[in-house]
Amino acid sequence: MTVTDPVAPGLETNDAEQQQSLATTAARNLATTKKSVPQMQGISSRWLLRMLPWVQVSGGTYRVNRRLTYAVGDGRVTFANTGSEIRVIPAELGELPILRGFDDEDVLTALADRFEQREYQPGDVIVEFGHESNEAFLIAHGKVNKIGPGHYGDETVLGVLANGDHFGAETLADPASRWEYTVRAVTPVTVLTLPQQGFDELLERSETLRAQLQAFRDGQSAARNPHGEAAIELASGHSGEPDLPGTFVDYELGPREYELSVAQTVLRVHSRVSDLYNEPMDQVEQQLRLTIEALRERQEHELVNNREFGLLANADLGHRLHTRNGPPTPDDLDELLAVVWKNPAFFLAHPRTIAAFGRECSKRGIYPETVDLNGNRVPAWRGIPLFPCNKIGISDTRTSSIMLMRVGEQQQGVIGLHQTGIPDEYQPSLSVRFMGISPKAIVSYLVSAYYSAAVLVPDALGVLENVELGREG
């Protein structure tokens, strides 16, 4: 559970201590002359909070049950990610040449548990030609170049490996082997590695694994549908009384559970401020309003960026795309629409990313339409609104991301999670709890917002990553 603590506005203290409540000097600014309510530059449109359908969560936990999904035999390894933590599905290790056809579930699970997660940046060398090859590599996310010596002694790219590809597994059967190529990261890359030592330890204990190393043959795998889900056996177009196939729908054995996160702060108001400077504006109400605005801003930030439940971290690895040439083009957004093609609801991008997309459209003589949403004109692509969200960060190298999502439980999309009906509820799933009055006459209120988000099926969310924004200014 994540706890965050935005700073409450307007605090007062004695000279020798840190300020703890609103000063009377500041309070007078609301008590005299014609005035506005207190303004706050940090308030944004918060389209994500406004557009997500919010689902009531009883008991603070929401479980997402899914069909069992994997596809052995397609040559690529499939992963499951919980936030930023990635793990390989044990049965998918059958894609590795030395394990093809191997069906000892206990051994495959033990092998999957021995993989270690690593991160590399563009240009990093993952393995180097001529060095000892003592690890197997699974590419969970990103692109790498496989480089070898060229015909004239220079380097040449032998191939490009990306999500689901793997290399080096066959070298585990020959500990004395050396790398015959170099592998270098092209984009930010996440890999899972199996060290030779971890493989050898299991090899010593498993007779079936030792036998497997003697034969590299394809094995039979359970029937799958085109989406990689365990197939449902059906019969159609028959006549008479043939035997109908029996079936059942298999589920994931360890479904993901989302616990509500919390953002909290303590608002302090001196009693003399609320007593004497309450006209024409309620001081407590204004302090509370700005505090809640800060909490809601933090809430949206966490829904986008939190490494456990944030949308950027929880997008399926197979639905994270890269731009073709760097800047965001209409072609790139079309590719994103090809991933989230079932009833997409909206794009979400930093305002500067939207500006970069507009520049690319202008270069091509394309002028994106706008759509009306409750009186707001917002840019759109293919009729899908493109909402600004300043919570999607911009890196030091001026790159960002664009999200596209389908929303709602009925649509098997992305949903917001909250729990209403909590004690001292001020807004849905937000409570303001009186904590008492200190000996210095400072009144304290605990302000808490509870929330999370869930992606019900992988194709509900797609992310276009490493979008170049160009030079500033």
Side-chain angles (χ1 to χ4, degrees), residues 154-239:
D154 54 347
E155 287 188 345
T156 185
V157 176
L158 303 176
V160 178
L161 305 178
N163 301 2
D165 286 328
H166 45 85
F167 62 92
E170 64 279 4
T171 69
L172 295 176
D174 183 10
S177 61
R178 293 186 175 273
W179 293 111
E180 298 178 353
Y181 46 80
T182 294
V183 176
R184 183 177 296 127
V186 178
T187 67
V189 176
T190 302
V191 301
L192 298 185
T193 68
L194 175 62
Q196 181 79 54
Q197 181 181 354
F199 180 78
D200 290 345
E201 289 174 354
L202 197 59
L203 187 64
E204 292 178 4
R205 301 202 304 263
S206 172
E207 182 177 347
T208 58
L209 184 57
R210 290 195 297 272
Q212 173 64 23
L213 290 184
Q214 305 303 314
F216 291 85
R217 293 191 175 275
D218 292 336
Q220 293 182 344
S221 60
R224 310 289 168 196
N225 69 17
H227 303 288
E229 297 171 330
I232 298 177
E233 298 295 337
L234 304 170
S236 61
H238 56 272
S239 60

XYZ file of all heavy atoms in Angstrom, residues 154-239:
653
model
N 34.527 -5.795 -40.176
C 33.769 -4.812 -39.401
C 32.554 -5.492 -38.770
O 32.276 -6.664 -39.012
C 33.304 -3.657 -40.299
C 32.530 -4.163 -41.508
O 32.581 -5.378 -41.760
O 31.865 -3.355 -42.175
N 31.832 -4.730 -37.938
C 30.643 -5.288 -37.302
C 29.458 -5.234 -38.254
O 29.332 -4.304 -39.049
C 30.297 -4.505 -36.025
C 31.228 -4.751 -34.864
C 30.716 -4.094 -33.591
O 29.807 -3.230 -33.695
O 31.200 -4.439 -32.504
N 28.605 -6.229 -38.158
C 27.384 -6.228 -38.947
C 26.236 -6.738 -38.088
O 26.443 -7.574 -37.188
C 27.519 -7.111 -40.203
O 26.341 -6.993 -41.000
C 27.717 -8.573 -39.828
N 25.050 -6.207 -38.318
C 23.887 -6.626 -37.551
C 23.362 -7.935 -38.128
O 22.930 -8.004 -39.282
C 22.785 -5.540 -37.580
C 21.537 -6.029 -36.852
C 23.295 -4.252 -36.944
N 23.417 -8.970 -37.321
C 22.952 -10.284 -37.746
C 21.440 -10.418 -37.633
O 20.831 -11.256 -38.306
C 23.618 -11.379 -36.895
C 25.155 -11.384 -36.891
C 25.670 -12.457 -35.945
C 25.693 -11.609 -38.301
N 20.853 -9.633 -36.756
C 19.417 -9.705 -36.573
C 18.961 -8.793 -35.462
O 19.777 -8.268 -34.689
N 17.665 -8.577 -35.387
C 17.052 -7.763 -34.340
C 16.139 -8.660 -33.517
O 15.298 -9.377 -34.059
C 16.255 -6.584 -34.924
C 15.582 -5.787 -33.817
C 17.155 -5.684 -35.757
N 16.326 -8.641 -32.206
C 15.501 -9.422 -31.290
C 14.638 -8.470 -30.473
O 15.084 -7.370 -30.115
C 16.368 -10.273 -30.368
C 17.374 -11.225 -31.050
C 18.196 -11.964 -30.008
C 16.647 -12.209 -31.954
N 13.421 -8.884 -30.163
C 12.502 -8.008 -29.433
C 11.636 -8.846 -28.499
O 11.965 -9.999 -28.207
C 11.649 -7.202 -30.413
N 10.547 -8.255 -28.056
C 9.678 -8.858 -27.034
C 9.408 -10.335 -27.304
O 8.910 -10.700 -28.366
C 8.339 -8.125 -26.988
C 8.495 -6.654 -26.686
O 9.601 -6.152 -26.549
N 7.384 -5.955 -26.582
N 9.741 -11.186 -26.340
C 9.465 -12.607 -26.450
C 10.581 -13.424 -27.058
O 10.566 -14.657 -26.967
N 11.554 -12.758 -27.681
C 12.691 -13.498 -28.235
C 13.626 -13.937 -27.117
O 13.555 -13.450 -25.975
C 13.446 -12.633 -29.249
C 12.689 -12.488 -30.564
O 11.989 -13.448 -30.933
O 12.792 -11.427 -31.199
N 14.541 -14.826 -27.456
C 15.466 -15.370 -26.460
C 16.759 -15.761 -27.147
O 16.802 -15.974 -28.366
C 14.836 -16.590 -25.767
C 14.183 -17.537 -26.721
N 14.876 -18.527 -27.394
C 12.888 -17.635 -27.135
C 14.047 -19.199 -28.178
N 12.827 -18.671 -28.041
N 17.828 -15.838 -26.373
C 19.113 -16.280 -26.922
C 19.964 -16.847 -25.791
O 19.770 -16.497 -24.623
C 19.844 -15.139 -27.638
C 20.203 -13.971 -26.764
C 21.437 -13.895 -26.127
C 19.301 -12.923 -26.568
C 21.770 -12.817 -25.324
C 19.625 -11.837 -25.768
C 20.861 -11.789 -25.142
N 20.867 -17.723 -26.139
C 21.836 -18.245 -25.192
C 21.417 -19.477 -24.433
O 22.236 -20.074 -23.728
N 20.152 -19.916 -24.551
C 19.705 -21.056 -23.751
C 20.470 -22.329 -24.104
O 20.797 -23.131 -23.231
C 18.201 -21.275 -23.934
N 20.769 -22.505 -25.397
C 21.458 -23.722 -25.801
C 22.874 -23.804 -25.243
O 23.436 -24.892 -25.094
C 21.494 -23.823 -27.334
C 22.267 -22.737 -28.040
C 21.481 -21.443 -28.217
O 20.339 -21.370 -27.709
O 22.017 -20.521 -28.840
N 23.460 -22.667 -24.871
C 24.816 -22.690 -24.325
C 24.853 -23.249 -22.909
O 25.924 -23.598 -22.416
C 25.422 -21.269 -24.332
O 24.739 -20.454 -23.377
C 25.329 -20.638 -25.705
N 23.698 -23.324 -22.240
C 23.679 -23.894 -20.892
C 24.062 -25.372 -20.910
O 24.522 -25.918 -19.899
C 22.285 -23.728 -20.270
C 21.827 -22.294 -20.006
C 20.397 -22.290 -19.482
C 22.749 -21.591 -19.021
N 23.854 -26.021 -22.047
C 24.235 -27.424 -22.167
C 25.727 -27.606 -22.392
O 26.237 -28.724 -22.346
C 23.458 -28.076 -23.306
N 26.436 -26.494 -22.634
C 27.882 -26.549 -22.880
C 28.558 -25.426 -22.110
O 28.794 -24.342 -22.644
C 28.158 -26.418 -24.380
C 29.646 -26.534 -24.704
O 30.435 -26.912 -23.796
O 30.014 -26.250 -25.857
N 28.860 -25.645 -20.832
C 29.421 -24.569 -19.992
C 30.725 -23.983 -20.516
O 31.104 -22.877 -20.129
C 29.636 -25.266 -18.643
C 28.690 -26.427 -18.655
C 28.632 -26.887 -20.078
N 31.429 -24.688 -21.410
C 32.710 -24.186 -21.917
C 32.537 -23.307 -23.142
O 33.524 -22.782 -23.677
C 33.626 -25.362 -22.253
N 31.325 -23.126 -23.607
C 31.110 -22.367 -24.839
C 31.317 -20.870 -24.612
O 31.318 -20.383 -23.480
C 29.690 -22.619 -25.359
O 28.729 -22.190 -24.398
N 31.477 -20.151 -25.744
C 31.660 -18.698 -25.700
C 30.687 -18.048 -26.678
O 30.240 -18.673 -27.639
C 33.109 -18.318 -26.038
C 34.089 -18.796 -24.973
C 35.504 -18.305 -25.216
N 36.369 -18.694 -24.098
C 36.518 -17.982 -22.998
N 35.874 -16.827 -22.879
N 37.299 -18.400 -22.024
N 30.394 -16.778 -26.403
C 29.451 -16.069 -27.255
C 30.031 -15.894 -28.655
O 31.177 -15.459 -28.812
C 29.092 -14.705 -26.678
C 28.313 -14.762 -25.401
C 28.736 -14.405 -24.161
C 26.967 -15.222 -25.252
N 27.749 -14.609 -23.232
C 26.636 -15.118 -23.877
C 26.012 -15.712 -26.134
C 25.393 -15.481 -23.376
C 24.770 -16.078 -25.635
C 24.468 -15.962 -24.282
N 29.235 -16.208 -29.644
C 29.660 -16.056 -31.034
C 29.131 -14.762 -31.643
O 29.233 -14.544 -32.856
C 29.172 -17.259 -31.851
C 29.770 -18.579 -31.369
C 29.242 -19.772 -32.149
O 28.312 -19.567 -32.958
O 29.765 -20.877 -31.950
N 28.577 -13.914 -30.832
C 28.040 -12.636 -31.276
C 27.966 -11.690 -30.077
O 28.106 -12.111 -28.920
C 26.650 -12.804 -31.895
C 25.720 -13.690 -31.085
C 25.055 -13.207 -29.959
C 25.530 -15.032 -31.431
C 24.217 -14.017 -29.204
C 24.696 -15.851 -30.693
C 24.049 -15.343 -29.590
O 23.229 -16.151 -28.853
N 27.756 -10.422 -30.375
C 27.516 -9.397 -29.352
C 26.044 -9.012 -29.404
O 25.455 -8.949 -30.489
C 28.399 -8.162 -29.607
O 29.770 -8.518 -29.430
C 28.050 -7.023 -28.644
N 25.461 -8.752 -28.245
C 24.078 -8.275 -28.186
C 24.075 -6.908 -27.515
O 24.595 -6.759 -26.399
C 23.173 -9.257 -27.418
C 21.767 -8.686 -27.282
C 23.129 -10.607 -28.129
N 23.527 -5.910 -28.227
C 23.526 -4.537 -27.720
C 22.100 -3.997 -27.719
O 21.336 -4.205 -28.664
C 24.427 -3.663 -28.590
C 24.555 -2.213 -28.108
C 25.515 -1.410 -28.958
N 26.878 -1.924 -28.860
C 27.627 -2.257 -29.899
N 27.139 -2.151 -31.123
N 28.860 -2.686 -29.725
N 21.737 -3.284 -26.648
C 20.392 -2.731 -26.511
C 20.180 -1.581 -27.495
O 21.040 -0.711 -27.645
C 20.161 -2.246 -25.084
N 19.039 -1.591 -28.173
C 18.656 -0.510 -29.078
C 17.724 0.472 -28.375
O 17.802 1.685 -28.576
C 17.969 -1.083 -30.335
C 17.516 0.035 -31.264
C 18.909 -2.041 -31.066
N 16.840 -0.062 -27.564
C 15.906 0.737 -26.761
C 16.098 0.326 -25.302
O 16.854 -0.600 -25.011
C 14.456 0.463 -27.177
O 14.117 -0.890 -26.826
C 14.258 0.659 -28.669
N 15.430 1.004 -24.358
C 15.435 0.457 -22.994
C 14.929 -0.985 -23.020
O 13.905 -1.285 -23.631
C 14.484 1.383 -22.233
C 14.563 2.673 -22.973
C 14.721 2.300 -24.422
N 15.653 -1.875 -22.376
C 15.383 -3.308 -22.477
C 15.253 -3.905 -21.082
O 16.033 -3.579 -20.175
C 16.508 -4.040 -23.248
C 16.268 -5.550 -23.256
C 16.600 -3.522 -24.666
N 14.263 -4.767 -20.920
C 14.116 -5.576 -19.716
C 14.296 -7.034 -20.104
O 13.620 -7.520 -21.019
C 12.731 -5.381 -19.074
O 12.536 -3.998 -18.756
C 12.603 -6.211 -17.798
N 15.229 -7.721 -19.463
C 15.484 -9.133 -19.760
C 15.381 -9.944 -18.473
O 15.543 -9.419 -17.368
C 16.880 -9.352 -20.394
C 17.026 -8.579 -21.682
C 17.994 -8.997 -19.416
N 15.095 -11.218 -18.633
C 15.199 -12.187 -17.554
C 16.346 -13.115 -17.898
O 16.454 -13.585 -19.036
C 13.902 -12.982 -17.393
C 12.642 -12.206 -17.030
C 11.472 -13.168 -16.798
C 12.852 -11.350 -15.793
N 17.221 -13.368 -16.934
C 18.400 -14.190 -17.183
C 18.402 -15.405 -16.254
O 18.002 -15.321 -15.090
C 19.698 -13.391 -16.949
O 19.847 -13.097 -15.557
C 19.682 -12.095 -17.745
N 18.865 -16.540 -16.811
C 19.039 -17.762 -16.033
C 20.528 -18.082 -15.991
O 21.107 -18.466 -17.009
C 18.271 -18.925 -16.665
C 18.469 -20.303 -16.007
C 17.967 -20.276 -14.567
C 17.767 -21.387 -16.807
N 21.189 -17.912 -14.851
C 22.623 -18.188 -14.758
C 22.912 -19.682 -14.902
O 22.072 -20.530 -14.582
C 22.997 -17.684 -13.350
C 21.851 -16.832 -12.915
C 20.647 -17.373 -13.599
N 24.108 -19.983 -15.392
C 24.534 -21.378 -15.545
C 24.452 -22.123 -14.214
O 24.018 -23.279 -14.168
C 25.976 -21.408 -16.060
C 26.535 -22.804 -16.293
C 26.040 -23.400 -17.593
O 26.182 -22.785 -18.642
N 25.466 -24.587 -17.537
N 24.837 -21.466 -13.120
C 24.829 -22.116 -11.818
C 23.416 -22.545 -11.420
O 23.212 -23.654 -10.923
C 25.411 -21.181 -10.762
C 25.457 -21.794 -9.368
C 26.025 -20.828 -8.335
O 26.484 -19.744 -8.672
N 25.987 -21.226 -7.070
N 22.422 -21.679 -11.636
C 21.051 -22.025 -11.290
C 20.539 -23.200 -12.102
O 19.823 -24.069 -11.591
N 20.917 -23.228 -13.383
C 20.504 -24.343 -14.237
C 21.185 -25.643 -13.796
O 20.537 -26.690 -13.702
C 20.857 -24.027 -15.688
C 20.481 -25.104 -16.665
C 19.175 -25.252 -17.093
C 21.438 -25.979 -17.149
C 18.818 -26.240 -17.991
C 21.096 -26.978 -18.048
C 19.788 -27.109 -18.468
N 22.497 -25.570 -13.498
C 23.240 -26.774 -13.109
C 22.736 -27.354 -11.793
O 22.686 -28.578 -11.620
C 24.734 -26.449 -13.011
C 25.365 -26.196 -14.371
O 24.723 -26.550 -15.385
O 26.474 -25.632 -14.425
N 22.367 -26.474 -10.850
C 21.858 -26.967 -9.562
C 20.591 -27.796 -9.758
O 20.422 -28.851 -9.138
C 21.572 -25.783 -8.634
C 22.820 -25.084 -8.121
C 22.474 -23.844 -7.321
O 21.269 -23.478 -7.274
O 23.399 -23.225 -6.749
N 19.719 -27.333 -10.620
C 18.491 -28.074 -10.871
C 18.761 -29.322 -11.704
O 18.120 -30.364 -11.518
C 17.488 -27.162 -11.585
C 16.031 -27.626 -11.577
C 15.520 -27.782 -10.151
C 15.160 -26.633 -12.333
N 19.733 -29.220 -12.586
C 20.094 -30.365 -13.428
C 20.569 -31.537 -12.583
O 20.257 -32.706 -12.872
C 21.167 -29.944 -14.430
C 21.572 -30.951 -15.501
C 20.394 -31.253 -16.414
C 22.751 -30.418 -16.310
N 21.319 -31.257 -11.533
C 21.832 -32.320 -10.672
C 20.709 -33.055 -9.953
O 20.833 -34.249 -9.662
C 22.805 -31.735 -9.639
C 24.096 -31.221 -10.247
C 24.999 -30.604 -9.184
O 24.614 -30.660 -7.984
O 26.055 -30.055 -9.545
N 19.599 -32.363 -9.676
C 18.532 -32.959 -8.884
C 17.425 -33.576 -9.725
O 16.567 -34.269 -9.196
C 17.925 -31.898 -7.960
C 18.922 -31.263 -7.009
C 18.209 -30.660 -5.807
N 17.191 -29.706 -6.185
C 17.373 -28.382 -6.215
N 18.566 -27.885 -5.932
N 16.388 -27.573 -6.549
N 17.401 -33.298 -11.021
C 16.278 -33.725 -11.851
C 16.729 -34.706 -12.925
O 17.451 -34.340 -13.859
C 15.608 -32.507 -12.502
O 14.648 -32.907 -13.439
N 16.254 -35.928 -12.806
C 16.561 -36.937 -13.819
C 15.859 -36.618 -15.131
O 16.416 -36.828 -16.220
C 16.141 -38.312 -13.311
C 16.468 -39.448 -14.263
C 16.090 -40.803 -13.690
O 15.806 -40.879 -12.476
O 16.066 -41.771 -14.475
N 14.644 -36.084 -15.043
C 13.907 -35.768 -16.271
C 14.582 -34.644 -17.043
O 14.588 -34.651 -18.282
C 12.464 -35.367 -15.939
O 12.470 -34.234 -15.055
C 11.726 -36.508 -15.274
N 15.167 -33.680 -16.332
C 15.857 -32.596 -17.012
C 17.133 -33.104 -17.678
O 17.475 -32.684 -18.798
C 16.173 -31.465 -16.026
C 16.819 -30.202 -16.623
C 15.960 -29.615 -17.729
C 17.064 -29.157 -15.542
N 17.825 -34.014 -17.033
C 19.034 -34.582 -17.648
C 18.666 -35.344 -18.914
O 19.372 -35.281 -19.924
C 19.750 -35.500 -16.652
C 20.401 -34.760 -15.485
C 21.382 -35.649 -14.739
N 20.726 -36.810 -14.118
C 20.209 -36.786 -12.905
N 20.260 -35.670 -12.179
N 19.637 -37.872 -12.390
N 17.535 -36.042 -18.863
C 17.109 -36.786 -20.050
C 16.710 -35.829 -21.176
O 16.936 -36.114 -22.364
C 15.946 -37.700 -19.691
N 16.145 -34.687 -20.797
C 15.704 -33.723 -21.802
C 16.869 -33.195 -22.627
O 16.719 -32.898 -23.823
C 14.968 -32.564 -21.109
C 14.595 -31.398 -22.001
C 13.601 -31.767 -23.093
O 12.869 -32.751 -22.951
N 13.588 -31.000 -24.175
N 18.011 -33.049 -22.008
C 19.163 -32.517 -22.720
C 19.632 -33.449 -23.833
O 20.426 -33.038 -24.678
C 20.318 -32.259 -21.736
C 20.111 -31.097 -20.771
C 21.348 -30.881 -19.921
C 19.765 -29.825 -21.519
N 19.150 -34.691 -23.846
C 19.540 -35.631 -24.880
C 18.643 -35.538 -26.116
O 18.917 -36.163 -27.126
C 19.495 -37.064 -24.320
C 20.323 -37.285 -23.076
C 21.780 -36.922 -23.272
O 22.392 -37.287 -24.272
N 22.331 -36.211 -22.308
N 17.570 -34.832 -26.008
C 16.654 -34.757 -27.150
C 16.056 -33.368 -27.273
O 15.485 -32.859 -26.319
C 15.548 -35.795 -26.993
N 16.216 -32.757 -28.441
C 15.649 -31.438 -28.707
C 14.533 -31.603 -29.737
O 14.713 -31.350 -30.926
C 16.715 -30.492 -29.263
C 17.760 -30.123 -28.273
C 18.853 -30.956 -28.077
C 17.670 -28.969 -27.537
C 19.830 -30.630 -27.162
C 18.646 -28.632 -26.624
C 19.727 -29.468 -26.426
N 13.424 -32.097 -29.288
C 12.315 -32.337 -30.199
C 11.064 -31.589 -29.714
O 10.876 -31.377 -28.531
C 12.001 -33.833 -30.291
C 13.115 -34.632 -30.956
C 12.622 -36.035 -31.261
N 13.631 -36.784 -31.993
C 13.778 -36.733 -33.321
N 12.976 -35.966 -34.009
N 14.707 -37.436 -33.922
N 10.265 -31.229 -30.682
C 9.005 -30.554 -30.347
C 8.071 -31.521 -29.650
O 7.984 -32.687 -30.018
C 8.300 -30.014 -31.597
C 9.083 -28.882 -32.225
O 9.860 -28.243 -31.495
O 8.924 -28.650 -33.427
N 7.362 -31.013 -28.654
C 6.357 -31.810 -27.955
C 4.976 -31.289 -28.267
O 4.798 -30.234 -28.868
N 4.013 -32.065 -27.896
C 2.634 -31.652 -28.120
C 2.244 -30.654 -27.030
O 2.669 -30.758 -25.890
C 1.689 -32.854 -28.071
C 1.923 -33.819 -29.233
C 0.950 -34.962 -29.187
O 0.323 -35.195 -28.157
N 0.821 -35.663 -30.299
N 1.429 -29.711 -27.397
C 0.932 -28.723 -26.423
C -0.577 -28.695 -26.479
O -1.185 -29.114 -27.463
C 1.491 -27.324 -26.723
O 1.099 -26.905 -28.003
N -1.158 -28.231 -25.426
C -2.622 -28.161 -25.354
C -3.152 -27.214 -26.415
O -2.480 -26.265 -26.821
C -3.049 -27.701 -23.969
N -4.344 -27.486 -26.901
C -4.947 -26.640 -27.919
C -5.176 -25.237 -27.368
O -5.562 -25.062 -26.225
C -6.273 -27.245 -28.372
N -4.924 -24.236 -28.229
C -5.108 -22.839 -27.827
C -5.946 -22.117 -28.869
O -5.940 -22.484 -30.047
C -3.746 -22.122 -27.726
C -2.703 -22.877 -26.904
C -3.032 -22.853 -25.429
N -2.191 -23.798 -24.716
C -2.426 -24.222 -23.492
N -3.479 -23.792 -22.833
N -1.621 -25.086 -22.919
N -6.656 -21.072 -28.444
C -7.342 -20.244 -29.413
C -6.385 -19.179 -29.936
O -5.253 -19.066 -29.451
C -8.621 -19.644 -28.808
C -8.344 -18.618 -27.733
O -7.238 -18.097 -27.617
N -9.356 -18.315 -26.932
N -6.771 -18.369 -30.958
C -5.831 -17.405 -31.535
C -5.301 -16.378 -30.555
O -4.309 -15.718 -30.824
C -6.676 -16.739 -32.647
C -7.716 -17.735 -32.997
C -8.039 -18.430 -31.703
N -5.964 -16.213 -29.396
C -5.520 -15.237 -28.405
C -4.623 -15.868 -27.345
O -4.249 -15.208 -26.374
C -6.734 -14.584 -27.728
C -7.660 -13.931 -28.707
N -7.358 -12.772 -29.378
C -8.886 -14.312 -29.145
C -8.359 -12.445 -30.181
N -9.292 -13.365 -30.063
N -4.296 -17.163 -27.503
C -3.437 -17.817 -26.535
C -4.160 -18.338 -25.326
O -3.546 -18.836 -24.395
N -5.487 -18.248 -25.308
C -6.253 -18.745 -24.176
C -6.534 -20.232 -24.367
O -6.638 -20.719 -25.502
C -7.572 -17.978 -24.048
C -7.371 -16.504 -23.769
C -8.665 -15.726 -23.864
O -9.547 -16.119 -24.635
O -8.784 -14.723 -23.150
N -6.614 -20.959 -23.245
C -6.947 -22.372 -23.348
C -8.257 -22.520 -24.113
O -9.261 -21.893 -23.798
C -7.077 -22.971 -21.948
N -8.241 -23.365 -25.158
C -9.366 -23.430 -26.088
C -10.592 -24.038 -25.430
O -10.500 -24.888 -24.554
C -8.979 -24.226 -27.323
N -11.768 -23.582 -25.871
C -13.034 -24.171 -25.479
C -13.482 -25.071 -26.627
O -13.694 -24.601 -27.754
C -14.094 -23.098 -25.197
C -13.646 -22.215 -24.030
C -15.448 -23.716 -24.915
C -14.599 -21.086 -23.712
N -13.586 -26.376 -26.387
C -13.948 -27.329 -27.439
C -15.436 -27.197 -27.759
O -16.291 -27.259 -26.872
C -13.627 -28.757 -26.986
C -12.143 -28.996 -26.722
C -11.310 -28.873 -27.979
O -11.880 -29.045 -29.091
O -10.113 -28.593 -27.885
N -15.736 -27.012 -29.051
C -17.102 -26.846 -29.510
C -17.339 -27.707 -30.747
O -16.385 -28.131 -31.407
C -17.391 -25.375 -29.872
C -17.139 -24.321 -28.795
C -17.245 -22.931 -29.405
C -18.145 -24.472 -27.665
N -18.598 -27.929 -31.064
C -18.960 -28.570 -32.318
C -20.062 -27.741 -32.953
O -20.915 -27.184 -32.270
C -19.438 -30.007 -32.075
N -20.009 -27.620 -34.292
C -21.043 -26.848 -34.978
C -21.281 -27.453 -36.349
O -20.436 -28.173 -36.893
C -20.618 -25.380 -35.113
O -19.435 -25.282 -35.876
N -22.442 -27.173 -36.907
C -22.764 -27.638 -38.246
C -23.007 -29.129 -38.340
O -22.998 -29.703 -39.434
N -23.208 -29.800 -37.204
C -23.392 -31.247 -37.247
C -24.862 -31.603 -37.426
O -25.755 -30.792 -37.211
C -22.848 -31.875 -35.948
C -23.468 -31.292 -34.716
N -22.964 -30.174 -34.093
C -24.565 -31.667 -34.001
C -23.696 -29.888 -33.037
N -24.686 -30.783 -32.966
N -25.106 -32.833 -37.817
C -26.461 -33.362 -37.925
C -26.496 -34.721 -37.246
O -25.459 -35.352 -37.031
C -26.883 -33.479 -39.402
O -25.996 -34.356 -40.094
